[in-house]
């Protein structure tokens, strides 16, 4: 980014907050980079006599010459005052009331400055025993608002009144040094909201920044606090972490900081020192291919990713059920799917429509080996065939052997003409009775794998 120097320095009563103002000549944000809708909202608020700032990720990404996902606005107008100014305004949120200004599908989020929860006599802010913020509806000044934000690089405000940037916590310096730094005392801030640990990792991976030492230190130990976070929030967060284009790197960082283990306990049980288990190979494969698909602008399906992450925990569980309860393979997989998914949704609330797809993909794995007669043709017509086949191909890469052969067979079959397909199916016919329904699928031998 362009050179930016201090121009003004004011003092403030809060230790961590040390405002520096950069005039319009001292930074490289231009109004051309800001969406018309965001500008409209900023100008209308300001025109009505309120302070209006672009804030958070929008400012950060503009300074980094990136393209902000969205433009968030902060103001001293209350939600009710905002609503009076905009016909297309909806007030939302319970934990903190926000205004959404709707421009068709584009939504500009406007938040009233938040205040300090401790400062209020009104009991509208609540904290749990562990120091976690439960409710949080206290309005405040811009200084207080800045102090409540998570990282220094997320606490910069672009003022529409004079196009200056108000940098409250040394964010510009940290941007230049490529550092993720929490505002305030890290342990306290993590206890208030443990999701900040995940956010630190997410921004480090996304921006290719380091996590500043004091910010990084407490994470490993405090990671178990994530168990107290509502699973619905962790579902949203897990998609941002793993499906935003740097999933592979984010997973490795999360794991290093003991965070992945909290979100996926059954997966973590299979982790090895040298990252060599099938689960770990699968994680690398699925996250790498997800990152690639995002880069290529292709659609991604969360169900496919979760199916891959949880596959080996599920098959391991099924194997145990077959041994201990003499279940058939089919029944064991059904039962193990229930067990693993029930366990997983305790930490990450994967919605039902996705768990249904995960089950379908898993069940298809059994069915894909039964190809005789008309079966192969019917399988190809199934809705989830493509996902099931792609999944089989990834398993082939991990398991090699029979699974890899089966994936190759399907690859050839799909691309073959009518005659060739018939020949492929009748070829199976001779040995087909042997490789029938009850055959032990997937003798995923550790030997075969470790010889890779
Ligand atoms: P992204 O590009 O992922 O949207 P962002 O910084 O805009 O990044 P948001 O989740 O959209 O992230 O949040 C907007 C802003 O709200 C942040 O920049 C930060 O200032 C503040 N914020 C969000 N979550 C928290 C949190 N858990 N604790 C403190 N401040 C937060
Ligand atoms: Mg944002």
């Amino acid at each position: 980014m362009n050179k930016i120097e201090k121009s003004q320095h004011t003092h403030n009563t809060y230790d961590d907050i040390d405002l520096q103002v950069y005039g319009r000549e001292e930074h490289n944000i231009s109004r051309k980079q800001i969406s018309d809708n965001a500008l409209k909202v900023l100008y209308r608020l300001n025109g009505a006599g309120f302070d209006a700032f672009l804030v958070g990720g929008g400012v950060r990404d503009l300074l980094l010459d990136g393209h902000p996902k969205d433009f968030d606005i902060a103001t001293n107008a209350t939600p009710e005052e905002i609503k009076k100014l905009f016909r297309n305004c909806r007030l939302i949120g319970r934990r903190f009331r926000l205004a959404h200004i709707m421009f068709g599908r584009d939504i500009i989020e406007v938040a009233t400055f938040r205040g300090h929860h401790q400062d209020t006599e009104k009991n509208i802010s609540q904290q749990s025993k562990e120091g976690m913020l439960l409710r949080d509806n206290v309005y405040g000044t811009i200084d207080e608002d800045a102090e409540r934000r998570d990282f220094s690089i997320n606490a910069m405000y672009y003022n529409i009144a004079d196009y200056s940037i108000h940098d409250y916590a040394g964010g510009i310096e940290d941007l230049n040094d490529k550092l993720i730094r929490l505002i305030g005392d890290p342990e306290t801030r993590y206890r208030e909201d443990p999701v900040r640990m995940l956010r630190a990792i997410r921004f480090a991976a996304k921006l290719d920044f380091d996590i500043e030492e004091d910010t990084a230190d407490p994470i490993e130990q405090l990671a178990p606090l994530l168990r107290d976070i509502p699973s619905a929030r962790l579902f949203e967060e897990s998609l941002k972490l793993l499906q935003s284009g740097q999933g592979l790197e984010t997973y490795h960082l999360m794991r290093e900081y003991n965070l992945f283990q909290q979100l996926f306990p059954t997966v973590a049980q299979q982790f090895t020192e040298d990252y060599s288990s099938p689960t770990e190979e699968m994680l690398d494969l699925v996250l790498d291919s997800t990152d690639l698909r995002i880069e290529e602008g292709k659609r991604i399906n969360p169900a496919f990713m979760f199916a891959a992450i949880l596959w080996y925990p599920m098959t391991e569980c099924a194997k145990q059920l077959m041994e201990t309860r003499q279940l058939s393979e089919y029944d064991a997989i059904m039962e193990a799917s229930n067990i693993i998914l029930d366990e997983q949704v305790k930490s990450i609330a994967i919605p039902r429509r996705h768990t249904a797809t995960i089950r379908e993909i898993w069940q298809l794995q059994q069915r894909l080996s039964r190809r005789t007669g008309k079966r192969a043709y019917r399988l190809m017509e199934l809705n989830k065939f493509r996902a099931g086949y792609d999944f089989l191909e990834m398993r082939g890469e991990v398991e090699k052997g029979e699974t890899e052969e089966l994936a190759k067979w399907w690859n050839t079959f799909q691309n073959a003409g009518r005659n060739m397909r018939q020949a492929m199916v009748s070829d199976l016919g001779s040995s087909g009775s042997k490789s029938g329904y009850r055959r032990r699928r997937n003798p995923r031998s550790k030997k075969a794998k470790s010889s890779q």
Side-chain angles (χ1 to χ4, degrees):
M1 57 183 280
N2 295 343
K3 55 178 179 356
I4 295 178
E5 279 151 30
K6 274 189 221 178
S7 66
Q8 192 182 323
H9 197 262
T10 46
H11 200 71
N12 181 292
T13 45
Y14 299 103
D15 282 356
D16 292 300
I17 295 298
D18 194 9
L19 174 63
Q20 295 167 31
V21 178
Y22 299 88
R24 79 186 286 189
E25 309 303 324
E26 296 173 289
H27 63 76
N28 59 359
I29 292 185
S30 110
R31 267 161 292 160
K32 288 195 202 79
Q33 299 166 280
I34 304 171
S35 81
D36 289 346
N37 292 335
L39 284 174
K40 237 182 259 172
V41 175
L42 286 165
Y43 279 125
R44 178 151 334 154
L45 283 165
N46 196 234
F50 297 109
D51 296 334
F53 295 84
L54 200 63
V55 67
V59 178
R60 179 194 71 221
D61 292 345
L62 286 176
L63 285 169
L64 286 170
D65 291 329
H67 302 279
K69 249 189 358 226
D70 39 38
F71 292 99
D72 295 331
I73 290 173
T75 179
N76 59 351
T78 64
E80 290 69 29
E81 286 169 329
I82 300 166
K83 193 163 170 57
K84 278 192 200 130
L85 283 176
F86 298 93
R87 258 189 317 129
N88 47 340
C89 172
R90 276 213 321 239
L91 299 187
I92 60 140
R94 266 179 300 161
R95 195 164 179 268
F96 188 78
R97 267 161 86 74
L98 294 170
H100 275 179
I101 320 289
M102 331 284 286
F103 298 91
R105 297 190 57 184
D106 187 21
I107 296 174
I108 306 291
E109 192 169 289
V110 185
T112 307
F113 295 140
R114 291 197 210 188
H116 282 284
H117 40 97
Q118 305 97 321
D119 291 357
T120 179
E121 309 94 70
K122 290 172 260 163
N123 188 23
I124 37 185
S125 162
Q126 279 187 359
Q127 243 173 329
S128 76
K129 281 201 304 292
E130 291 77 24
M132 198 160 88
L133 285 176
L134 301 177
R135 268 198 300 148
D136 196 5
N137 231 346
V138 185
Y139 305 127
T141 64
I142 186 170
D143 296 27
E144 290 167 332
D145 187 85
E147 208 180 46
R148 309 257 352 240
R149 291 182 183 268
D150 47 7
F151 306 107
S152 63
I153 56 167
N154 285 346
M156 299 183 285
Y157 297 67
Y158 173 83
N159 188 356
I160 200 64
D162 61 3
Y163 314 119
S164 62
I165 290 176
H166 292 214
D167 176 8
Y168 281 87
I172 289 200
E173 216 174 294
D174 287 339
L175 269 192
N176 287 328
D177 296 342
K178 291 172 154 277
L179 280 180
I180 306 294
R181 182 197 309 275
L182 210 46
I183 298 171
D185 171 58
E187 180 162 346
T188 311
R189 300 306 310 281
Y190 290 139
R191 284 189 184 280
E192 275 174 10
D193 181 4
V195 171
R196 288 172 186 150
M197 296 187 274
L198 295 173
R199 290 174 58 86
I201 275 39
R202 179 154 73 82
F203 291 122
K206 169 175 154 171
L207 305 173
D208 196 20
F209 278 26
D210 288 327
I211 305 175
E212 180 270 332
E213 217 178 299
D214 291 338
T215 301
D217 275 349
I219 297 182
E220 194 179 338
Q221 207 210 325
L222 297 180
L225 291 175
L226 283 172
R227 305 265 172 133
D228 301 332
I229 301 297
S231 55
R233 187 171 176 211
L234 288 182
F235 173 70
E236 296 301 323
E237 202 58 38
S238 70
L239 294 187
K240 288 191 199 169
L241 286 157
L242 301 176
Q243 305 210 312
S244 298
Q246 287 85 23
L248 182 60
E249 155 137 37
T250 305
Y251 145 65
H252 280 284
L253 265 181
M254 283 170 76
R255 197 177 151 173
E256 219 176 280
Y257 282 96
N258 187 29
L259 294 167
F260 194 85
Q261 292 84 332
Q262 312 304 321
L263 301 194
F264 295 93
T266 59
V267 179
Q269 277 173 21
Q270 307 203 338
F271 281 172
T272 57
E273 291 249 313
D274 57 352
Y275 291 70
S276 63
S277 68
T279 273
E280 288 158 302
E281 273 185 59
M282 186 62 122
L283 268 161
D284 281 348
L285 281 177
V286 74
L287 294 174
D288 196 38
S289 81
T290 304
D291 289 348
L292 193 67
R293 287 184 69 93
I294 293 170
E295 200 176 309
E296 291 169 344
K298 292 188 184 156
R299 271 190 309 132
I300 41 169
N301 182 355
F304 187 84
M305 180 189 73
F306 285 113
I309 295 176
L310 297 169
W311 169 252
Y312 292 112
M314 189 282 283
T315 57
E316 186 59 39
C317 177
K319 215 172 85 192
Q320 281 172 21
L321 289 171
M322 285 167 76
E323 280 163 17
T324 58
R325 297 195 4 216
Q326 274 80 51
L327 293 185
S328 72
E329 186 182 23
Y330 179 85
D331 289 342
I333 286 189
M334 297 298 268
E335 176 90 26
S337 302
N338 290 339
I339 295 174
I340 294 296
L341 288 171
D342 285 353
E343 195 56 38
Q344 185 57 55
V345 297
K346 285 183 195 160
S347 48
I348 295 182
I350 305 170
R352 203 167 281 275
R353 65 179 191 284
H354 289 321
T355 55
T357 306
I358 295 170
R359 286 172 207 273
E360 271 183 86
I361 291 172
W362 285 350
Q363 280 163 27
L364 262 177
Q365 300 309 298
Q366 278 183 301
R367 294 181 62 188
L368 284 171
S369 60
R370 286 139 47 193
R371 294 153 288 167
T372 51
K374 293 253 173 284
R375 284 175 174 145
Y377 298 94
R378 285 201 209 110
L379 281 167
M380 282 219 307
E381 278 160 22
L382 292 179
N383 227 335
K384 289 286 177 285
F385 171 79
R386 185 75 219 175
Y389 163 73
D390 286 344
F391 196 86
L392 180 70
E393 215 178 18
M394 278 198 322
R395 284 180 52 215
E397 278 191 60
V398 176
E399 295 164 31
K400 313 291 180 188
E402 255 180 55
T403 312
E404 193 173 31
E405 291 306 312
L406 184 61
K408 278 191 194 139
W409 188 95
W410 274 108
N411 186 29
T412 314
F413 188 76
Q414 289 176 80
N415 295 314
R418 205 162 56 123
N419 292 340
M420 168 99 165
R421 282 183 178 177
Q422 250 160 28
M424 285 178 77
V425 170
S426 41
D427 263 4
L428 291 172
S430 50
S431 63
S433 49
K434 262 186 276 152
S435 62
Y437 178 37
R438 301 238 165 250
R439 183 174 52 92
R440 266 261 225 99
R441 192 186 44 96
N442 166 25
R444 172 173 47 88
S445 69
K446 292 232 159 63
K447 268 173 252 139
K449 243 191 54 48
S450 55
S451 67
Q452 292 314 307

